Amino acid sequence: MYRRFLAVLGLVLALAVGVSAQQEGKVDRHTAFSAGVSLGYHYGFTGQVHCMVSSFADNFPLSARFTIGYSTAGPGNALEARQIFINDATNGFPEKSGRVWEFRFDALYPVKMLNLHRAYVFAGPRYAKFTGNFKFVGGNEDFDIRSDQWGLGGGVQSYFRMTPRVDLVLTVGADYFFESTLTGHDTSYSPDGEDINPRNDYTFDDADKAVDQPELEFQVMFGFSYSL
C-alpha cells in the first residue's frame, strides 16, 4: 500500500511538471526558497528543521516542504516489554527512554481563515524511526526495541512577518502511522503474524500494547522561517 501511494504521488508530480513544460509563452515567476527551525510537542519534546520551495511552476499554487524532526518519546511499559521480548525475570530497577527520528514531506496550499493573512493547509507522507530503550539497573538487562513506520499527516500553519526575511511560524496538526514490525534483542513481532523467535504465546498485539510506537500523534509547534 505504501509503495502504491508513493507511486501515485510521483505520477501526479510528474504530470504537473509535464503540463508546466508544455505551456507556451514567457514564464514570469520567481522561485522562492526558505528554511527554518521549530520547537514544540510531537510524541514528546520535539525539534524540527525544514526547507521549503514555492512558486516553482507558473500558476502552480502548491509549495513543497521537507522536514527532519527529532523527538523524545514515552517508550512503553518496561516490565511487559521485558517479558515479551527478553525473559520473565523481575529483578532490577527499570529505567526507560524513547526517541523518534522523523522525515516528513508536505504539500502546502494557501487558504483564507479567521484573520490570518498567510495561512496554509498541508498534508503528506511521513517516515518515522522509533527506538525505545529499557534498562534494568541491577538486573543485567539493557535492550532496545525498534520500528520503522510509514504514515500520513496534515494540519494548518500560519506565518507572521517579523522582518522582511524572517517569519514567526505556528503549526498545529496530526499524523497517523501504520502498524509496523517491532524488533528487540533476537525477537520480532509483525502485524502480519510473521514473528521471529516469539516468546511463549505472545503476539504482535501484546507487543504493540507494551511498546508505544507512534500511532495517532498530535503536534503543536512554533518556530522561525528565513527566506533565502
Side-chain angles (χ1 to χ4, degrees):
M1 179 173 60
Y2 315 133
R3 292 180 179 177
R4 292 181 180 177
F5 172 80
L6 293 177
V8 171
L9 178 62
L11 179 60
V12 171
L13 292 176
L15 289 174
V17 171
V19 170
S20 177
Q22 294 176 5
Q23 291 180 341
E24 296 181 356
K26 183 179 178 181
V27 177
D28 183 16
R29 61 181 174 84
H30 174 67
T31 302
F33 297 91
S34 63
V37 297
S38 295
L39 297 174
Y41 177 85
H42 189 39
Y43 316 104
F45 177 76
T46 299
Q48 296 178 348
V49 295
H50 77 265
C51 58
M52 187 167 73
V53 57
S54 305
S55 303
F56 51 83
D58 189 33
N59 297 321
F60 191 66
L62 298 180
S63 299
R65 180 180 64 211
F66 178 71
T67 303
I68 299 176
Y70 177 84
S71 304
T72 60
N77 187 299
L79 293 175
E80 292 182 2
R82 186 181 193 179
Q83 292 174 349
I84 294 170
F85 286 88
I86 307 295
N87 55 46
D88 294 325
T90 58
N91 61 319
F93 179 79
E95 294 181 353
K96 60 183 182 178
S97 62
R99 61 185 183 272
V100 179
W101 280 101
E102 186 182 14
F103 305 88
R104 311 162 60 89
F105 176 81
D106 287 295
L108 295 85
Y109 184 81
V111 295
K112 294 182 179 180
M113 56 184 301
L114 302 177
N115 290 322
L116 302 175
H117 299 290
R118 297 171 61 207
Y120 299 83
V121 294
F122 63 86
R126 282 87 174 91
Y127 179 71
K129 297 181 68 66
F130 165 83
T131 301
N133 177 258
F134 302 90
K135 181 185 299 183
F136 287 81
V137 179
N140 196 32
E141 294 290 356
D142 186 352
F143 60 97
D144 290 337
I145 297 176
R146 296 184 172 89
S147 70
D148 298 328
Q149 296 172 266
W150 285 99
L152 297 171
V156 178
Q157 189 169 68
S158 185
Y159 289 71
F160 302 89
R161 184 73 68 194
M162 298 181 67
T163 73
R165 287 185 175 271
V166 178
D167 294 312
L168 173 68
V169 185
L170 300 180
T171 306
V172 294
D175 301 318
Y176 179 79
F177 291 90
F178 304 104
E179 293 179 339
S180 180
T181 299
L182 288 161
T183 301
H185 198 51
D186 61 351
T187 297
S188 67
Y189 296 91
S190 177
D192 60 10
E194 297 294 327
D195 303 332
I196 298 176
N197 296 326
R199 296 201 66 253
N200 300 328
D201 294 323
Y202 293 121
T203 66
F204 172 80
D205 289 338
D206 299 315
D208 191 44
K209 290 178 182 177
V211 180
D212 292 338
Q213 68 173 332
E215 188 177 3
L216 178 61
E217 308 293 340
F218 297 94
Q219 69 163 330
V220 178
M221 308 289 296
F222 72 93
F224 301 93
S225 180
Y226 179 81
S227 298
L228 304 176

